[in-house]
Amino acid sequence: MNSPFRTKTVEQSIRDTEEPEHALRKSLSAWDLTVFGVGVIIGTGIFVLTGIAARNNAGPATALAFVAAGIVCALAALCYAEFASTVPVAGSAYTFAYASIGELPAWIIGWDLVLEFALGTAVVAVGWSGYVRSLMHTNLGWDMPAALSGPDAGGSFDLLAFLLILVLTAVLVIGTKLSARITAIVVAIKVTVVMLVIIAGLFFITADNYSPFIPPAEPQPAGSGWHAPLVQVLFGYAPTNFGVMGIFTAASLIFFAFIGFDVVATAAEETKNPQRDMPRGILGSLVICTVLYVAVTLVVTGMQKYSEMSPTAPLAEAFKSVNQPFFAGAISLGASVGLITVSMILLLGQTRVFFAMSRDGLLPRVFSVTHPKYRTPYRATLLLGGVIAVVAGFTSLKKLAELVNIGTLFAFVVVALGVIILRRTRPDLHRSFRTPWVPFVPILSIAASLWLMLNLPTETWLRFGIWMAIGIVVYFAYGRRNSRLGKVGADAKF
């Protein structure tokens, strides 16, 4: 039990959820989980990255890039579904790693998820701020003061992003069910906008815009040194734009569009029937969003030549290009509303991981105390919400957004490995959902995730390595000495 690879049994993890002072309220259904998943997945990816990937990387074949990224996520989702239904405890990949691989790997993945969700929340909040400022300027003639427009717009503080995070923090403190209701309303708006794009756009498709569907390959100006993709540094392979390999280059970029389905797993402890509902919520939301992503991409690349697509607002600009300003305005409004839930659910995921680590003693236990009325981890939520609000207000996050991708893919690798290990160490566990074809599917998930990681810039790997090194220092300086599992041993009364 002194080893940093000591594991916390599934039974211990479940007993943790029975402590009144550290227990979360079970209020979510399969429908709520699916709405959460759709709410967080449909966001920056569909409203922004579609144009960037089509214009720079894959042309009309960006639709195939969404399929490729969706397959990588589907492989991971099968592993998440098994774990979430077997270990229905807050913490997602952190909790799964603790039950299968050990405490130190669990800490590393938890530390990684804290960064991933924090940066994801801040990035989306800044993106929302940009949409709102654009709408205010276009429709009302109002402009935010330059100093309050954020670093990305030449200012010094992003007031709108800061205020959004504070409001969402208050909503999450009040309760998860309230969050689910708000999310359901906003998701309805987002899906309506996406369906509007698909149905209305069908009448403005020009077949010539699909030619060539896979443009001829071009060398990618990936840069040199730290700016080059790691796969180029290690193996001398330079990713291409366009061509068949350009599809995978685009998939590495638009993978950000799928980030968030794993957030559903963080709500396992707050689900009424997790054994049945977690697999439905995780897999259902992923399938729905992949279908919508592919359909939207095919429509907008048919409406406007890929080389002319906007890198910032491709859906709205596609309708402007065919003289349909009404639809363009509706899409911009839907995007600005839709990004709200993305930030909220990412913040929800982060607080649940932080809560689980605190309850295990790896972080100060004070942050795992739940509110006496709302049964939410209010202290952790207030702390993290405040920090992220400041980060979103003061920081330009264009480069840091790449850290979100590498963090998520790393979590996928750990979860897939955990499925293989737990199948061998605990074959007796009841699994209401079983990942098919183990170990083939988990191994394929690991390989696909690693391939996308290798296509990220080397500087992203460097930043990620520095963050992980800091995490290991914190673990040995605080977490290992204060771990509840380490203090009381294998027979601990969790």
Side-chain angles (χ1 to χ4, degrees):
M1 293 308 295
N2 290 324
S3 168
F5 292 93
R6 55 198 174 202
T7 58
K8 180 180 177 183
T9 67
V10 174
E11 292 78 9
Q12 288 172 330
S13 296
I14 293 175
R15 283 200 297 272
D16 250 1
T17 67
E18 298 169 357
E19 294 183 357
E21 191 180 22
H22 303 277
L24 300 172
R25 176 174 293 163
K26 295 183 181 295
S27 60
L28 301 178
S29 63
W31 170 253
D32 293 325
L33 296 172
T34 303
V35 168
F36 269 146
V38 174
V40 72
I41 297 172
I42 296 182
T44 305
I46 194 67
F47 292 121
V48 177
L49 295 182
T50 303
I52 298 174
R55 180 171 178 157
N56 299 332
N57 303 114
T62 300
L64 299 180
F66 273 112
V67 172
I71 290 173
V72 174
C73 289
L75 293 170
L78 291 170
C79 299
Y80 269 89
E82 173 170 326
F83 259 129
S85 60
T86 306
V87 193
V89 178
S92 185
Y94 158 77
T95 300
F96 307 156
Y98 211 163
S100 57
I101 306 175
E103 185 174 273
L104 178 57
W107 164 267
I108 291 174
I109 197 63
W111 186 253
D112 162 53
L113 290 174
V114 167
L115 177 69
E116 172 201 333
F117 291 147
L119 293 181
T121 304
V123 166
V124 176
V126 171
W128 172 85
S129 174
Y131 263 106
V132 172
R133 291 196 307 271
S134 176
L135 283 170
M136 290 167 56
H137 174 78
T138 302
N139 299 304
L140 302 174
W142 297 350
D143 289 303
M144 290 286 293
L148 300 178
S149 297
D152 289 326
S156 56
F157 181 73
D158 194 327
L159 179 63
L160 292 178
F162 176 80
L163 293 177
L164 174 65
I165 300 299
L166 292 185
V167 171
L168 296 181
T169 299
V171 170
L172 290 176
V173 167
I174 293 174
T176 308
K177 192 63 179 179
L178 174 62
S179 307
R181 290 169 180 165
I182 294 174
T183 301
I185 295 171
V186 178
V187 166
I189 296 173
K190 284 201 291 190
V191 172
T192 300
V193 169
V194 171
M195 295 304 297
L196 178 69
V197 172
I198 296 171
I199 296 172
L202 287 173
F203 295 95
F204 302 100
I205 289 177
T206 301
D208 290 343
N209 289 333
Y210 289 131
S211 181
F213 189 76
I214 302 179
E218 299 176 0
Q220 184 184 103
S224 59
W226 296 116
H227 299 289
L230 186 62
V231 68
Q232 179 178 338
V233 174
L234 294 178
F235 307 112
Y237 164 73
T240 63
N241 288 330
F242 308 114
V244 174
M245 296 310 297
I247 295 173
F248 296 101
T249 303
S252 298
L253 169 70
I254 62 178
F255 181 80
F256 185 86
F258 288 94
I259 286 175
F261 85 84
D262 55 323
V263 176
V264 176
T266 67
E269 192 172 326
E270 295 160 273
T271 304
K272 296 176 183 176
N273 188 347
Q275 288 76 18
R276 180 195 66 190
D277 294 342
M278 288 306 300
R280 293 180 181 181
I282 293 172
L283 297 171
S285 59
L286 183 60
V287 170
I288 291 170
C289 292
T290 302
V291 172
L292 292 177
Y293 277 176
V294 172
V296 166
T297 304
L298 288 173
V299 168
V300 296
T301 53
M303 293 174 62
Q304 187 177 24
K305 192 68 176 177
Y306 70 88
S307 58
E308 301 171 0
M309 292 187 69
S310 166
T312 56
L315 275 60
E317 292 299 323
F319 278 95
K320 286 183 181 179
S321 72
V322 293
N323 299 315
Q324 297 294 322
F326 169 78
F327 291 115
I331 290 167
S332 294
L333 178 61
S336 62
V337 173
L339 291 177
I340 294 174
T341 57
V342 180
S343 285
M344 182 171 68
I345 299 169
L346 287 172
L347 181 57
L348 169 72
Q350 188 198 32
T351 58
R352 276 22 180 200
V353 173
F354 199 88
F355 165 80
M357 296 173 73
S358 171
R359 189 166 58 184
D360 289 333
L362 301 181
L363 290 171
R365 287 265 290 170
V366 66
F367 294 114
S368 65
V369 175
T370 54
H371 194 280
K373 177 180 179 181
Y374 303 124
R375 309 312 304 172
T376 57
Y378 68 104
R379 293 174 179 174
T381 303
L382 291 172
L383 171 68
L384 296 170
V387 171
I388 296 172
V390 172
V391 171
F394 284 105
T395 310
S396 175
L397 298 170
K398 291 180 179 179
K399 283 291 184 182
L400 292 180
E402 294 171 344
L403 277 171
V404 183
N405 275 8
I406 195 170
T408 301
L409 288 164
F410 179 66
F412 287 1
V413 170
V414 172
V415 170
L417 182 62
V419 167
I420 297 173
I421 293 175
L422 201 62
R423 282 285 188 96
R424 290 182 175 275
T425 58
R426 291 298 305 275
D428 57 302
L429 283 177
H430 172 70
R431 295 168 169 83
S432 55
F433 178 89
R434 298 176 67 89
T435 303
W437 304 315
V438 173
F440 175 73
V441 167
I443 290 174
L444 194 58
S445 176
I446 293 171
S449 298
L450 288 174
W451 172 250
L452 291 185
M453 291 173 73
L454 287 173
N455 280 275
L456 292 170
T458 304
E459 60 186 338
T460 299
W461 280 84
L462 179 62
R463 294 190 186 108
F464 181 69
I466 292 172
W467 177 255
M468 289 295 101
I470 294 172
I472 292 174
V473 171
V474 173
Y475 169 74
F476 283 103
Y478 179 88
R480 188 182 184 189
R481 291 188 294 117
N482 292 277
S483 165
R484 295 178 69 203
L485 185 63
K487 281 183 176 181
V488 293
D491 297 324
K493 294 183 179 180
F494 278 81

